[in-house]
Amino acid sequence: MGSQTRPFNDKTAGAIDRKRERERQQMLQNLYRHAPELATKLVQRLLDKHIIETNSAEAIREVFTNLFQRLPDMEEFDIQYKTAPLRGLVNNPNFISLYVTQYTAEDLLEHDKIQDVYGDDLEIYQAVDSVLGSLRPPS
């Protein structure tokens, strides 16, 4: 049997993976750190873009604040599972924006203070990413 050898440039791939993981952790830390402000901005953006209709913006802001504080502690599998249906939505997506988009379209709709959620996945993603895109480190 032949031995398994690593290609000579595997160190480069490993460095890229480590960089991506550092960026991912940094984004999650910033999300946690700025959860209340980001939740306020997000709810306002979703209302301004007529994505959500609610009778209590404060209750929805609390929902997003709690989500943003829980997200860094979630298992990678749970995040990947939630974002899987949307991965092909845009090129180079923000994984946090994908998660929040799917959460808005599926779970938030069930909240008793939400009257309705409007728009398709892309419209929701664009509204969400216009706020949460600031979490991405500069390229």
Side-chain angles (χ1 to χ4, degrees):
M1 294 212 190
S3 67
Q4 294 282 330
T5 60
R6 292 183 155 185
F8 69 93
N9 65 350
D10 192 51
K11 289 181 182 179
T12 304
I16 291 170
D17 288 343
R18 285 188 300 277
K19 181 180 182 222
R20 282 187 184 150
E21 184 58 27
R22 267 193 316 272
E23 288 175 351
R24 182 182 178 282
Q25 290 304 320
Q26 182 182 12
M27 288 172 65
L28 289 169
Q29 287 172 3
N30 286 334
L31 179 69
Y32 181 84
R33 201 173 297 129
H34 302 290
E37 303 91 45
L38 289 169
T40 300
K41 288 180 185 178
L42 179 59
V43 169
Q44 189 59 49
R45 183 66 45 90
L46 293 174
L47 289 169
D48 290 347
K49 298 283 184 177
H50 305 288
I51 301 291
I52 62 171
E53 189 176 317
T54 181
N55 53 15
S56 177
E58 182 63 26
I60 304 308
R61 187 193 65 75
E62 288 177 23
V63 167
F64 280 120
T65 299
N66 291 336
L67 175 67
F68 295 167
Q69 290 175 340
R70 284 191 332 262
L71 198 58
D73 295 329
M74 286 185 184
E75 295 291 327
E76 178 64 22
F77 175 80
D78 295 331
I79 294 172
Q80 293 294 327
Y81 183 78
K82 185 71 140 181
T83 60
L86 300 179
R87 274 194 214 121
L89 192 60
V90 294
N91 289 333
N92 195 17
N94 176 345
F95 78 97
I96 295 173
S97 295
L98 283 179
Y99 188 92
V100 174
T101 297
Q102 191 69 358
Y103 180 85
T104 302
E106 285 184 354
D107 302 331
L108 191 63
L109 188 59
E110 302 299 323
H111 194 277
D112 61 336
K113 299 294 182 182
I114 288 289
Q115 294 167 333
D116 211 343
V117 175
Y118 301 100
D120 62 12
D121 292 339
L122 183 58
E123 291 171 324
I124 298 170
Y125 175 83
Q126 289 170 336
V128 169
D129 198 52
S130 69
V131 173
L132 299 181
S134 64
L135 295 171
R136 285 186 129 162
S139 298

